[in-house]
Amino acid sequence: MVTRTEAAAIDEYRFANRIPTRAEAIRRLLAIGLAAEGKPLPQRDGQPGQE
């Protein structure tokens, strides 16, 4: 669960980056945050990893 403020920030990011779903925006934001900590996400079932 996220707060309304957090959901609004996610949606802002989503629309600014033309991401089709909130779920995909959250996945990308997680990947960005983890990469910033030096812990990139593993590749998803046959999907190319995020650069």
Side-chain angles (χ1 to χ4, degrees), residues 1 5-6 9 13 17-20 24-27 29-30 33 38-39 41-44 46:
M1 300 287 288
T5 303
E6 291 165 336
Y13 172 80
N17 291 282
R18 301 177 63 113
I19 300 169
E24 181 61 23
I26 291 169
R27 281 191 287 274
L29 288 166
L30 281 169
K39 301 172 185 175
L41 283 174
Q43 293 181 4
R44 294 189 310 194

Side-chain angles (χ1 to χ4, degrees), residues 3-16 22 25 29:
T3 66
R4 288 181 186 186
T5 303
E6 291 165 336
I10 292 165
D11 286 340
E12 234 178 84
Y13 172 80
R14 174 185 165 206
F15 297 132
R22 185 182 284 170
L29 288 166

